[in-house]
């Protein structure tokens, strides 16, 4: 029981956990089913190039996304590049800065310019009005991001896209199984991209998918992800190797089978965090339910330092000393990262405001009521003594435990 600041591991008390709790620890799967699928692939000798497991995975992903076509890829970053290249985009792509660097990197890697537009402060997703204001003669697409699985405002963005004759795409890396107004993420844009990275609610070790209802576009992306094999007609030439392997699809299918249970667990965890952290001044658990159906893979708290008396980074360090590895999704925001610091964009006050406050807490199948209760106890203690915590934090040199960089199992 921690009731005094001196009880916090940061100030010399015993750590709340003896094993690290991580944001993005892979969810539980039925290993026997995974091994059975891997055995099948090994026995068949068909290990890549659109084997039966990849085909089945693509079908399942397309169903979940409510679209006709899914092309599975080796990761979502390359899937985004396939989307950009396949659509023949040039010049500028408008996107939010409140996202993982991969969204911007995928665009700039192909020689295009990401142009950041501000978010709606309530949803954290691309604000259609700000997106419209960022359109220039060089703009070739809008690329929204379903932040934390919250689907973007699809109608507002569609209107902007239509008014300017632009395609509308979404980075749906977080949003498998999410929906708004009965429309699943994956079906809201002209094409969208999912991530099946190990840290995601459904993982294929590494993996991604481009999903779309457009048969011609799907065929082009499929060709491009396989060295351009069979490409015909007008459109971008070339190609790359972005194929998903059978081993990855074996994991993806097994993880998909566990997904309904994972969502139930995530939802329960989210509710438990909300109960633990209810009514704390300056600390708010971001609610996803008012933004459509969510897979709840991200529990994010927002800390208003002025009201709470301590900054998000103080809590991050305090929790790290307790062996709770939080993540500031997404801080720094993309435009604050080195490659984009000097990029041209309108002011992004809502993005900067949100990036300054957010902290993702561990959830998923490796976290339960007991862990959430103990994490809640630490955060409540911090909130009760915010100004004292800050004063004492400033007077404490960083301990080796806190200075240790986060281990590579999450990001
Ligand atoms: C919003 C967003 N886009 C893209 C990616 C890239 O996904 P991947 O790791 O599968 O390349 C991530 C990864 O975490 C992400 O969070």
């Amino acid at each position: 029981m921690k009731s005094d600041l001196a009880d916090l591991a940061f100030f010399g008390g015993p750590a709340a956990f003896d094993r690290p709790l991580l944001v993005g620890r892979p969810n539980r799967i039925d290993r026997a089913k995974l091994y059975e699928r891997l055995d099948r692939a090994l026995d068949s000798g068909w290990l890549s190039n659109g084997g039966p497991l990849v085909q089945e995975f693509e079908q399942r992903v397309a169903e979940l996304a409510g679209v006709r076509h899914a092309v599975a890829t080796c990761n979502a970053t390359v899937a985004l590049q396939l989307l950009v290249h396949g659509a023949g985009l040039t010049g500028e792509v408008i996107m939010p800065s409140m996202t993982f660097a991969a969204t911007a990197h995928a665009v700039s890697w192909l020689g295009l310019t990401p142009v950041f537009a501000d978010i709606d402060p309530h949803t954290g997703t691309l604000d259609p009005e700000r997106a419209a204001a960022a359109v220039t003669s060089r703009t070739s697409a809008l690329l929204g991001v379903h932040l934390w699985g919250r689907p973007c405002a699809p109608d507002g963005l569609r209107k902007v896209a239509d008014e300017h004759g632009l395609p509308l795409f979404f980075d749906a890396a977080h949003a498998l199984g999410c929906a708004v107004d009965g429309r699943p993420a994956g079906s809201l844009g002209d094409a969208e991209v999912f991530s099946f990275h190990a840290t995601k609610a459904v993982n294929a070790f590494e993996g991604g998918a481009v999903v779309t209802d457009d048969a011609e576009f799907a065929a082009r992306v499929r060709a491009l992800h396989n060295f351009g094999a069979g490409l015909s007609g007008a459109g971008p030439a070339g190609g790359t190797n972005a194929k998903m392997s059978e081993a990855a699809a074996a994991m993806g299918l097994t993880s998909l089978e566990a997904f309904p249970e994972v969502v139930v667990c995530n939802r329960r965890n989210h509710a438990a965090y909300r109960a633990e952290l209810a009514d704390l001044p300056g600390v708010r658990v971001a609610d996803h339910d008012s933004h459509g159906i969510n897979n709840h893979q991200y529990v994010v708290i927002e800390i208003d330092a002025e009201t709470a008396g301590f900054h998000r980074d103080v809590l991050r360090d305090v929790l790290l000393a307790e062996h709770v590895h939080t993540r500031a999704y997404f801080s720094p925001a993309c435009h604050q990262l080195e490659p984009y610091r000097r990029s041209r964009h309108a002011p992004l006050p809502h993005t900067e405001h949100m990036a300054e406050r957010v902290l993702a807490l561990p959830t998923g199948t490796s976290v339960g009521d007991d862990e959430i209760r103990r994490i809640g106890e630490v955060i409540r203690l911090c909130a009760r003594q915010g100004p004292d915590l800050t004063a004492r934090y400033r007077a404490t040199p960083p301990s080796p435990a806190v200075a240790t960089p986060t281990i590579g199992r999450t990001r």
Side-chain angles (χ1 to χ4, degrees):
M1 173 82 185
K2 291 178 189 275
S3 54
D4 189 89
L5 289 180
D7 298 329
L8 294 174
F10 192 86
F11 300 122
F17 298 96
D18 51 15
R19 67 177 176 105
L21 288 187
L22 304 172
V23 171
R25 185 185 279 278
N27 287 307
R28 250 192 320 270
I29 51 146
D30 183 337
R31 288 191 191 195
K33 285 189 180 164
L34 172 64
Y35 298 152
E36 187 270 319
R37 288 190 166 104
L38 288 171
D39 274 339
R40 231 191 303 151
L42 290 168
D43 289 344
S44 76
W46 196 349
L47 301 185
S48 190
N49 293 1
L53 293 173
V54 165
Q55 290 174 36
E56 189 184 341
F57 184 66
E58 287 177 338
Q59 197 183 330
R60 295 278 294 107
V61 169
E63 279 163 19
L64 262 175
V67 293
R68 282 192 285 275
H69 309 281
V71 179
T73 60
C74 52
N75 61 54
T77 306
V78 170
L80 284 166
Q81 290 171 351
L82 287 167
L83 185 155
V84 169
H85 187 61
L89 304 188
T90 56
E92 299 173 352
V93 175
I94 294 170
M95 65 178 67
S97 171
M98 190 67 189
T99 180
F100 187 53
T103 318
H105 286 355
V107 166
S108 68
W109 187 260
L110 293 175
L112 284 76
T113 306
V115 172
F116 303 114
D118 212 359
I119 52 171
D120 174 327
H122 304 294
T123 62
T125 58
L126 188 60
D127 180 336
E129 267 185 42
R130 298 295 97 220
V135 173
T136 70
S137 59
R138 285 172 46 78
T139 305
S140 64
L142 304 184
L143 176 57
V145 177
H146 302 317
L147 181 73
W148 313 325
R150 291 176 174 180
C152 292
D155 297 336
L157 289 173
R158 174 63 72 193
K159 191 160 168 276
V160 177
D162 287 351
E163 271 167 19
H164 296 275
L166 299 168
L168 174 63
F169 299 122
F170 290 111
D171 177 338
H174 302 173
L176 191 77
C178 301
V180 62
D181 301 332
R183 296 149 70 193
S187 69
L188 302 171
D190 295 313
E192 306 196 28
V193 164
F194 290 116
S195 170
F196 302 108
H197 182 259
T199 53
K200 298 294 187 285
V202 169
N203 93 81
F205 299 118
E206 288 267 6
V210 178
V211 295
T212 180
D213 256 337
D214 180 336
E216 201 183 311
F217 185 63
R220 199 173 319 139
V221 167
R222 187 173 294 289
L224 288 170
H225 101 311
N226 185 25
F227 308 101
L231 262 186
S232 61
T240 186
N241 180 1
K243 297 188 300 290
M244 176 178 274
S245 72
E246 287 290 277
M251 181 61 159
L253 283 165
T254 311
S255 185
L256 268 177
E257 280 166 0
F259 186 44
E261 256 176 64
V262 168
V263 174
V264 169
C265 170
N266 284 346
R267 181 174 274 284
R268 199 175 48 227
N269 285 350
H270 211 131
Y273 272 117
R274 283 173 75 86
E276 281 293 329
L277 304 177
D279 303 322
L280 292 186
V283 179
R284 195 174 73 85
V285 180
D287 148 62
H288 296 326
D289 285 333
S290 48
H291 304 282
I293 292 174
N294 200 285
N295 59 31
H296 289 267
Q297 72 178 306
Y298 296 106
V299 173
V300 178
I301 57 174
E302 293 181 58
I303 297 173
D304 171 5
E306 237 172 75
T307 313
F310 60 92
H311 189 269
R312 181 268 320 277
D313 292 350
V314 174
L315 182 62
R316 181 199 58 200
D317 289 352
V318 164
L319 285 171
L320 184 56
E322 305 291 348
H323 297 157
V324 179
H325 296 243
T326 59
R327 309 297 295 175
Y329 288 149
F330 288 98
S331 174
C334 279
H335 72 286
Q336 297 166 324
L337 294 171
E338 186 44 49
Y340 309 112
R341 272 200 193 148
R342 281 161 289 281
S343 64
R344 181 192 62 78
H345 55 75
L348 304 170
H350 297 313
T351 301
E352 286 172 9
H353 184 81
M354 189 175 271
E356 191 65 20
R357 299 165 166 235
V358 286
L359 197 64
L361 302 177
T363 185
T365 55
S366 62
V367 176
D369 285 349
D370 182 49
E371 286 84 3
I372 293 170
R373 186 186 53 72
R374 284 191 277 161
I375 293 171
E377 188 175 282
V378 172
I379 299 176
R380 281 200 313 277
L381 170 56
C382 292
R384 269 200 312 274
Q385 312 208 26
D388 288 349
L389 168 67
T390 299
R392 203 157 163 181
Y393 174 90
R394 287 196 180 132
T396 307
S399 74
V402 171
T404 306
T406 311
I407 46 182
R409 277 173 284 182
T410 184
R411 60 184 181 193

